[in-house]
């Protein structure tokens, strides 16, 4: 990690203020109306690479949402920004087509640290800081304290990489606001690196990057990972074996945490030749157009449809919780999405359990979370 400005920043001591030239700034349809109005009125943008994604509420769920999206689209066209409409979640589109090792990206989304999968420093900033970055093309930040987490061991065969990500939260949440360097990733596949860096984005740390060497720090042993679940409104993983037969009304396979091609394969492997329980609904949403096409080519979409699932368009879908699969009062959702706070996917009295794709698919077949498949 010695590329350009990022490499220079890594040499700074904690507490120093540095100015980071930005390789990319992300705008999307989750921005508030106030922020969008200010952005579209800016006389000029100093940033060289600004990406506009219509990816959260797609297709738009209300006339008001459609109006805001059209405002962002028109602005992107006028300014010649890189624009993608309904092609998938922006984070994944960046990783699929745009990110390069050593770059620095900022956006207002919670999951920016997942760009560490590609060696990119992804920083989640406020809307106010985003406006400043757009005007200046750079971002002034105070270098945070750093911690190294050494990833060791091999993942058990019955566990998924999402389980590892949920288990890693117990380590990461001990270091709020810090920069985390993950080492020992040389033998971890791309899907595993993504799961770990995505977890970093949900943990309250500053950001995360891969690193080599043997700095002092903590150890995270993959071999100790068990099947996990994030219980409603909880931010640390719990062993799935502690959950027993909770009736489920909806299952979601998708979101940036659980809608990649590897995730769809896991779910399809469980669902092949089976049918979901009659009393629930199952929603599947590939995370990007490229993922959707590949799932079609591999026959995964056929498996989902044959099982009784409804396959939605690419994008955030149920995880965004505004337009698809909205929960009623008291309902239980088993989800591969990223959120489980009260009201995140509908009624505030609904409950959301976050799991791996295989665990979610098993819940769809049995109608129960925690039941034997």
């Amino acid at each position: 990690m010695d590329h350009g400005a990022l490499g220079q920043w890594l040499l700074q001591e904690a507490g120093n203020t540095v100015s980071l030239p930005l390789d990319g700034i992300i705008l999307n349809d989750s921005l508030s109306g106030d922020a969008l109005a200010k952005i579209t009125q800016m006389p000029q943008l100093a940033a060289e690479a600004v990406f506009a994604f219509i990816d959260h509420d797609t297709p738009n769920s209300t006339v008001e949402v459609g109006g805001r999206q059209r405002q962002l689209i028109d602005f992107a066209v006028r300014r010649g920004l890189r624009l993608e409409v309904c092609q998938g979640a922006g984070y994944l589109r960046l990783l699929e087509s745009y990110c390069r090792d050593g770059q620095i990206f900022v956006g207002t989304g919670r999951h920016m640290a997942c760009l560490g999968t590609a060696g990119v420093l992804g920083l989640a900033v406020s809307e106010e800081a985003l406006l400043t970055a757009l005007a200046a093309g750079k971002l002034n930040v105070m270098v945070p304290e750093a911690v190294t987490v050494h990833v060791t061991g091999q993942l058990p065969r019955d566990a998924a990489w999402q389980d590892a990500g949920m288990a890693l939260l117990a380590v990461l949440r001990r270091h709020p606001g810090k920069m985390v360097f993950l080492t020992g990733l040389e033998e971890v596949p791309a899907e595993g690196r993504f799961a770990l860096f995505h977890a970093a984005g949900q943990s309250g740390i500053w950001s995360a990057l891969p690193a080599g060497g043997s700095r002092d720090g903590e150890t995270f042993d993959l071999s100790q990972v068990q099947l996990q679940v994030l219980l409603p409104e909880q931010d640390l993983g719990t062993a799935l074996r502690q959950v027993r037969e909770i009736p489920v009304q909806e299952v979601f396979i998708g979101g940036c945490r659980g809608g990649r091609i590897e995730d769809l394969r896991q779910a399809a492997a469980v669902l092949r030749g089976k049918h979901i329980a009659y009393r629930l609904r199952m929603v599947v949403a590939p995370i990007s157009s490229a993922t959707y096409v590949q799932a079609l080519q591999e026959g995964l979409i056929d498996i989902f449809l044959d099982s009784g699932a409804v396959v939605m368009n690419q994008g955030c879908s149920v995880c965004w919780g505004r337009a698809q699969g909205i929960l009623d009062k008291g309902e239980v959702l088993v989800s591969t999405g990223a959120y489980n706070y009260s009201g995140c996917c509908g009624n505030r009295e609904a409950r959301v359990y976050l799991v791996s794709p295989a665990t979610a698919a098993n819940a769809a077949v049995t109608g129960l979370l925690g039941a034997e498949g």
Side-chain angles (χ1 to χ4, degrees):
M1 272 304 163
D2 58 355
H3 174 80
L6 180 53
Q8 296 175 22
W9 170 76
L10 292 175
L11 298 176
Q12 299 291 319
E13 293 186 6
N16 287 352
T17 298
V18 297
S19 180
L20 298 178
L22 302 173
D23 298 291
I25 299 177
I26 302 170
L27 309 177
N28 61 39
D29 57 335
S30 70
L31 289 168
S32 70
D34 288 344
L36 185 56
K38 291 176 182 178
I39 289 170
T40 56
Q41 293 168 10
M42 293 180 69
Q44 61 183 18
L45 303 179
E48 291 187 6
V50 181
F51 298 81
F53 293 106
I54 306 298
D55 60 352
H56 279 67
D57 197 341
T58 56
N60 58 291
S61 57
T62 67
V63 173
E64 180 184 1
V65 168
R68 287 204 305 271
Q69 290 180 347
R70 175 51 55 188
Q71 189 178 5
L72 179 55
I73 291 169
D74 290 345
F75 173 73
V77 171
R78 288 197 311 271
R79 298 300 182 89
L81 308 185
R82 298 182 185 181
L83 171 66
E84 291 197 0
V85 180
C86 301
Q87 297 301 300
Y91 305 108
L92 271 296
R93 287 297 302 126
L94 289 170
L95 288 170
E96 286 177 348
S97 301
Y98 300 108
C99 285
R100 297 192 305 276
D101 181 58
Q103 291 182 316
I104 304 171
F105 278 70
V106 299
T108 57
R110 180 182 179 185
H111 311 307
M112 289 297 296
C114 76
L115 300 184
T117 307
V120 171
L121 179 65
L123 300 179
V125 299
S126 66
E127 290 187 338
E128 182 179 357
L130 187 76
L131 287 163
T132 300
L134 285 167
K138 59 185 178 181
L139 187 69
N140 293 329
V141 300
M142 181 177 291
V143 179
E145 294 183 13
V147 62
T148 299
V149 176
H150 306 284
V151 179
T152 64
Q154 293 187 340
L155 191 69
R157 293 185 62 182
D158 65 341
W161 283 107
Q162 286 90 346
D163 296 311
M166 286 184 277
L168 180 62
L169 290 172
V171 175
L172 297 178
R173 287 196 176 277
R174 292 197 287 267
H175 304 284
K178 292 184 180 180
M179 179 67 198
V180 173
F181 294 98
L182 295 177
T183 73
L185 303 181
E186 294 80 8
E187 301 301 320
V188 176
E191 62 178 299
R193 293 196 299 273
F194 178 83
L196 299 179
F197 281 104
H198 192 282
Q202 295 184 257
S203 67
I205 66 166
W206 196 71
S207 193
L209 283 171
S214 57
R215 313 177 194 185
D216 294 335
E218 296 208 40
T219 297
F220 177 64
D221 187 356
L222 291 171
S223 68
Q224 299 303 307
V225 172
Q226 304 176 44
L227 300 185
Q228 297 281 301
V229 56
L230 259 65
L231 302 175
E233 301 185 64
Q234 299 298 308
D235 56 16
L236 293 177
T238 297
L240 181 63
R241 57 182 169 75
Q242 297 181 23
V243 175
R244 283 293 175 265
E245 299 193 347
I246 299 172
V248 177
Q249 283 74 51
E250 181 171 307
V251 172
F252 174 54
I253 306 291
C256 56
R257 191 179 72 92
R260 301 166 77 244
I261 190 63
E262 296 87 357
D263 308 318
L264 301 184
R265 289 170 182 157
Q266 287 182 41
V270 175
L271 292 165
R272 189 186 302 272
K274 300 177 183 177
H275 201 278
I276 64 174
Y278 70 92
R279 63 180 181 273
L280 61 77
R281 58 191 179 272
M282 179 175 176
V283 178
V284 178
I287 198 57
S288 70
S289 295
T291 300
Y292 209 129
V293 170
Q294 189 167 355
L296 281 166
Q297 293 172 341
E298 295 184 16
L300 306 183
I301 302 300
D302 289 346
I303 293 173
F304 296 136
L305 292 174
D306 289 344
S307 75
V310 56
V311 180
M312 306 298 290
N313 56 285
Q314 60 275 49
C316 295
S317 191
V318 175
C319 183
W320 176 238
R322 303 295 192 277
Q324 298 175 354
I326 299 173
L327 301 177
D328 195 5
K329 181 178 179 179
E331 288 193 312
V332 169
L333 167 67
V334 172
S335 172
T336 66
Y339 299 118
N340 63 343
Y341 61 85
S342 176
C344 66
C345 297
N347 190 283
R348 293 188 61 83
E349 294 185 38
R351 292 173 292 158
V352 180
Y353 295 79
L354 303 183
V355 298
S356 73
T359 298
N362 184 69
V365 171
T366 62
L368 302 166
L369 177 62
E372 296 292 333

